């Protein structure tokens, strides 16, 4: 609201108030029944998608997390390209959201000790009929290479059978979460 509009509104409210009890100086029941309108200026502040700084700069930010919300279509556009808003896909959109949530929960449950940044950095990409799951996992000394390959193969096969479409895992292993850090705040 503009300042002039607020001032005009207050002037109208003051003119329309019953002033009989206020002018006489009495604080009786007539003065307590006066209604007033309080206005404050609007605070146009966008806080969504921004992270607060910590005292010791201990919070890890990945590249995607470090981008401001207004840069989503510019710097993060490769994550937002999709064709699900076309006419033929509108009816299957709730199914896609449910499938994405199933895949995310399965990966978080199947690799619980290996997830980096609590599994928030999993990217699901659909190319044609194939669903690609990309992200980072933290390498642990307990896993040997045979077990890792078995887990990847099992996860791909299980998700492919469950979703009835090919699923490919593009998960890379890093030594620690700090390797994925873009910045600390």
């Amino acid at each position: 609201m503009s300042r002039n509009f607020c001032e005009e509104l207050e002037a109208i409210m003051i003119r329309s108030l019953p002033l009989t009890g206020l002018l006489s100086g009495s604080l009786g029941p007539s003065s307590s029944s006066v209604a007033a309108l309080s206005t404050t200026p609007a605070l146009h502040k966008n806080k969504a998608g921004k992270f607060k700084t910590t005292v010791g700069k201990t919070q890890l930010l990945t590249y995607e997390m470090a981008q401001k919300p207004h840069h989503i279509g510019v710097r993060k556009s490769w994550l937002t390209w999709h064709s699900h808003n076309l006419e033929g896909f509108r009816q299957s959109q709730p199914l896609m959201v449910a499938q994405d949530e199933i895949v995310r929960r399965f990966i978080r449950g199947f690799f619980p000790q290996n997830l980096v940044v609590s599994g928030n950095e999993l990217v699901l990409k659909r190319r044609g009929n194939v669903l690609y799951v990309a992200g980072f996992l933290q390498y642990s000394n307990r896993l040997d290479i045979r077990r890792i390959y078995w887990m990847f193969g099992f996860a791909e096969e299980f998700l492919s059978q469950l979703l009835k479409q090919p699923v490919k895992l593009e998960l890379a292993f890093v030594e620690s979460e700090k390797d994925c850090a873009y910045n600390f705040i």
Side-chain angles (χ1 to χ4, degrees), residues 10 49 69 88 97 117 138 164 172 174 177:
E10 286 181 23
V97 172
V117 197
Q138 186 174 354
K164 296 182 177 41
V174 293
E177 284 188 346

Side-chain angles (χ1 to χ4, degrees), residues 24-97:
S24 64
S26 68
L27 296 175
S30 63
S31 65
S32 65
S33 63
V34 174
L37 176 68
S38 175
T39 59
T40 57
L43 181 62
H44 299 291
K45 208 169 182 186
N46 184 10
K47 290 183 148 191
K50 297 179 182 175
F51 295 92
K52 291 184 179 180
T53 58
T54 57
V55 176
K57 293 198 174 207
T58 57
Q59 184 177 1
L60 172 113
L61 284 184
T62 61
Y63 180 75
E64 285 82 17
M65 293 166 68
Q67 300 303 319
K68 302 289 188 243
H70 58 274
H71 290 141
I72 286 178
V74 180
R75 296 182 189 163
K76 293 175 64 174
S77 63
W78 61 275
L79 286 176
T80 59
W81 290 340
H82 62 85
S83 59
H84 295 292
N85 57 355
L86 297 176
E87 193 64 37
F89 290 105
R90 284 190 187 157
Q91 294 175 352
S92 65
Q93 195 167 11
L95 178 66
M96 303 285 180
V97 172

Side-chain angles (χ1 to χ4, degrees), residues 60 65 104 108 111-112 114-122 136 138 177:
L60 172 113
M65 293 166 68
R104 287 178 194 277
R108 285 186 197 128
F111 299 100
N114 302 97
L115 286 177
V116 177
V117 197
S118 69
N120 292 332
E121 292 299 313
L122 287 177
F136 292 103
Q138 186 174 354
E177 284 188 346

